[in-house]
């Protein structure tokens, strides 16, 4: 019985150690010198001054969703990231239930002009989206209606954030010629029609200054 208990305790310790390692794991800094986070109101109040010392080089901050929703912490996060010298960018969660033009107007009205900001990002995924599933032709038309005014306003090509499931359904990595931000946990993405520019490598990293887990990303050198 004592031997069984000892084995169980050893397995528990290994499990705890492995999970602790996973919470703090990130891709090699020598291979990917620029690493950072993406955040929204779900992270709550962020202690931004604590982040630069933890190799948070950039932050993508949720600005808007759909045609009328604005992230309630966007203005606070945007200003705070700028104050501590973290390169910042804004992203928009693209809903399948609203026109691209309406969503572009929402994003443009919310995000300040900053010539040093990262390119705007369109978040394209099924998780948290509405139940509508437009045809590929309709989706590309609405994306174009979003992309044109946003790129005209901010002067930079938008980046497409894609999950594998969304890209499998619509093939946007092949059909829309814009930089790609691909999600694949731990392992470098092996999908997408073109090489990625940003890789979302973890959705469970812990950093001081943020309560709970946060997404961790790297930029291609």
């Amino acid at each position: 019985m004592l031997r069984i208990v000892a084995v169980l305790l050893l397995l528990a310790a290994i499990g705890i150690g492995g999970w602790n390692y996973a919470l703090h794991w990130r891709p090699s800094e020598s291979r990917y010198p620029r690493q950072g986070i993406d955040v929204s109101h779900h992270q709550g109040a962020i202690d931004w001054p604590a982040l630069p010392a933890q190799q948070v080089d950039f932050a993508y901050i949720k600005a808007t969703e759909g045609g009328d929703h604005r992230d309630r912490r966007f203005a606070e996060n945007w200003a705070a990231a700028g104050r501590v010298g973290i390169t910042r960018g804004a992203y928009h969660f693209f809903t399948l239930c609203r026109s691209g033009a309406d969503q572009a107007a929402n994003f443009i009205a919310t995000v300040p002009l900053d010539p040093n900001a990262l390119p705007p990002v369109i978040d394209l995924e099924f998780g948290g989206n509405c139940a509508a599933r437009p045809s590929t032709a309709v989706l590309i038309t609405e994306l174009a209606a979003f992309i044109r005014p946003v790129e005209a306003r901010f002067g930079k090509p938008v980046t497409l954030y894609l999950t594998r499931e969304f890209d499998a359904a619509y093939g946007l990595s092949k059909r829309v010629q814009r930089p790609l931000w691909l999600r694949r946990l731990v392992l470098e993405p092996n999908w997408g029609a073109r090489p990625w520019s940003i890789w979302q490598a973890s959705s469970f990293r812990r950093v001081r200054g943020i309560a709970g887990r946060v997404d961790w990303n790297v930029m291609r050198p």
Side-chain angles (χ1 to χ4, degrees):
M1 180 58 121
L2 290 176
R3 180 175 295 178
I4 293 174
V5 171
V7 169
L8 291 175
L9 289 174
L10 176 61
L11 291 174
I14 292 171
I16 292 170
W19 179 240
N20 186 62
Y21 174 80
L23 291 176
H24 297 90
W25 173 85
R26 62 190 179 97
S28 165
E29 191 174 6
S30 62
R31 289 189 63 191
Y32 307 106
R34 296 194 69 192
Q35 306 201 12
I37 57 177
D38 61 270
V39 298
S40 71
H41 71 274
H42 291 295
Q43 275 66 51
I46 296 173
D47 181 10
W48 287 93
L51 302 186
Q54 300 176 80
Q55 289 75 52
V56 177
D57 304 312
F58 67 90
Y60 264 106
I61 302 166
K62 183 176 181 180
T64 50
E65 179 174 336
D68 48 24
H69 176 77
R70 300 180 181 185
D71 190 278
R72 63 177 179 269
R73 289 196 180 272
F74 172 70
E76 169 189 337
N77 285 333
W78 185 262
R83 284 195 298 270
V84 299
I86 292 176
T87 305
R88 58 194 178 178
Y91 77 88
H92 171 83
F93 186 93
F94 194 92
T95 178
L96 301 174
C97 297
R98 291 290 296 268
S99 74
D102 287 348
Q103 298 189 62
N106 186 25
F107 186 78
I108 289 169
T110 302
V111 180
L113 277 175
D114 175 4
N116 297 315
L118 296 167
V121 166
I122 311 172
D123 183 348
L124 294 156
E125 56 184 303
F126 290 126
N129 218 310
C130 62
R133 295 294 182 267
S135 68
T136 299
V138 168
L139 176 60
I140 289 177
T141 297
E142 296 303 332
L143 277 177
F146 180 94
I147 289 171
R148 282 192 299 269
V150 167
E151 290 185 342
R153 170 68 170 171
F154 296 100
K156 297 173 183 177
V158 302
T159 295
L160 306 181
Y161 171 92
L162 293 170
T163 62
R164 189 169 193 161
E165 295 75 17
F166 201 96
D167 197 45
Y170 289 108
L172 295 182
S173 66
K174 180 178 181 180
R175 291 185 167 96
V176 181
Q177 298 301 305
R178 294 296 187 279
L180 301 177
W181 179 354
L182 302 183
R183 170 186 169 89
R184 190 185 187 203
L185 302 185
V186 180
L187 300 176
E188 185 175 336
N190 60 354
W191 56 276
R194 290 172 289 109
W196 54 268
S197 296
I198 306 176
W199 163 29
Q200 187 177 84
S202 173
S203 62
F204 42 77
R205 184 163 163 76
R206 296 271 189 169
V207 298
R208 295 186 310 279
I210 299 178
R213 299 175 296 178
V214 67
D215 294 334
W216 193 263
N217 309 275
V218 301
M219 291 187 176
R220 184 181 291 280

